Amino acid sequence: GNSVTQMEGPVTLSEEAFLTINCTYTATGYPSLFWYVQYPGEGLQLLLKATKADDKGSNKGFEATYRKETTSFHLEKGSVQVSDSAVYFCALPVEGSQGNLIFGKGTKLSVKP
Amino acid sequence: EAQVTQNPRYLITVTGKKLTVTCSQNMNHEYMSWYRQDPGLGLRQIYYSMNVEVTDKGDVPEGYKVSRKEKRNFPLILESPSPNQTSLYFCASSLMWTNTGELFFGEGSRLTVL
C-alpha cells in the first residue's frame, strides 16, 4: 500500500534562513500529495497540495514539487519567519480510499529571531 | 463558520471510567475520522466513517468505539480507558468524493488517564 517518509526533526533555523523538509513516498499510480501544518495548540490544516506529477503546490511562501522520478515532495521556503514555527506533515491518500490520508510522522520547525 | 468542534478540549480521568469525546462538523461532510497524536509516532488513525452508519477500523482501534448515527456527529467512546490511551486526539472531516485531500481538523482533545 501507499506510504510516506519524512525527515525527522526537530529543525531549528534562524529567521530568513532557507527551509527544506524532505518527504518521499511509495504509491501505486500517481496519487495527490499534500503538506499539512500544525501550529502550536491547534489542529492540522492543509498547507498545499499537488494533484499530478510535475505539479508545484504553493501557499504562504511555501512550495513543493511533485517529482515522480524521485518519488519526492519536498517542502521549501526561501525565507522563514518566526511565525512559521510549527509541525509539518507530508501526506498522501490510502490506496483505494477516497478521503482517507496517510501522514508522515511530522517535522517540528522552530524559527529563532 | 465552517468548523469541526471537539469536546472536551482537556480531560483528566481515571482508569476504567467510561468517557466520550464528541465531534461535530457543520460542513455536511460524508467522511469523518479520529486520530491520536503521540510524540515520535505522529498521527495514527483510530476509526473512520465514510457515511452515516458506515464505520471502519483504522490503524489503532483497540480500546475505542465509534458510532455514526447522524452525518454531523462522530463520537469517540473509551469504554474502559487505560493509561496508554493518554494522548492528544483529533477529529477530522472531508468531502468524500472530491478527493481533494483537504481534511478539516478539530482543535484537539488532550486526554490524560491516571
Side-chain angles (χ1 to χ4, degrees):
Chain A
N2 295 350
S3 67
V4 60
T5 303
Q6 65 180 100
M7 64 184 279
E8 303 267 336
V11 174
T12 302
L13 296 173
S14 298
E15 209 165 20
E16 300 184 3
F18 184 84
L19 168 71
T20 300
I21 300 177
N22 291 338
C23 171
T24 57
Y25 66 91
T26 303
T28 303
Y30 301 105
S32 297
L33 301 175
F34 310 93
W35 277 100
Y36 278 76
V37 59
Q38 183 182 26
Y39 297 106
E42 298 182 12
L44 282 73
Q45 56 186 274
L46 181 65
L47 177 60
L48 56 83
K49 67 182 181 186
T51 58
K52 60 183 187 293
D54 298 326
D55 256 8
K56 178 184 284 187
S58 60
N59 186 24
K60 299 182 180 181
F62 291 89
E63 293 182 338
T65 301
Y66 189 160
R67 303 219 184 267
K68 65 178 182 181
E69 301 85 2
T70 53
T71 61
S72 64
F73 192 54
H74 304 324
L75 182 68
E76 297 181 335
K77 187 174 186 182
S79 176
V80 294
Q81 305 300 312
V82 172
S83 57
D84 294 325
S85 297
V87 182
Y88 294 83
F89 294 88
C90 188
L92 79 167
V94 172
E95 185 177 355
S97 176
Q98 294 212 351
N100 205 357
L101 296 182
I102 300 170
F103 290 88
K105 291 190 176 180
T107 303
K108 184 176 182 179
L109 170 66
S110 297
V111 181
K112 308 293 186 190
Chain B
E1 180 189 353
Q3 59 186 2
V4 178
T5 304
Q6 297 178 224
N7 280 296
R9 295 286 315 279
Y10 302 92
L11 179 63
I12 300 174
T13 190
V14 294
T15 299
K17 186 176 181 182
K18 180 179 178 180
L19 68 92
T20 299
V21 186
T22 64
C23 174
S24 180
Q25 50 91 7
N26 62 0
M27 295 168 280
N28 203 34
H29 287 168
E30 299 93 349
Y31 177 87
M32 297 185 75
S33 181
W34 277 103
Y35 296 86
R36 59 179 289 175
Q37 184 177 23
D38 301 288
L41 298 176
L43 277 174
R44 294 180 293 169
Q45 189 179 52
I46 304 170
Y47 269 96
Y48 64 97
S49 168
M50 293 192 180
N51 215 327
V52 175
E53 303 291 3
V54 180
T55 63
D56 214 340
K57 295 178 181 179
D59 298 319
V60 289
E62 296 78 18
Y64 304 95
K65 284 176 57 177
V66 293
S67 68
R68 188 92 182 272
K69 296 186 180 358
E70 305 166 279
K71 198 172 187 179
R72 64 184 293 127
N73 296 323
F74 190 46
L76 179 70
I77 303 157
L78 286 74
E79 293 271 5
S80 183
S82 62
N84 65 12
Q85 292 178 298
T86 292
S87 186
L88 179 58
Y89 292 87
F90 287 101
C91 180
S93 72
S94 73
L95 284 171
M96 269 289 297
W97 305 112
T98 63
N99 200 24
T100 63
E102 183 153 16
L103 275 175
F104 291 81
F105 282 80
E107 293 187 313
S109 296
R110 185 168 291 282
L111 171 65
T112 301
V113 183
L114 301 176

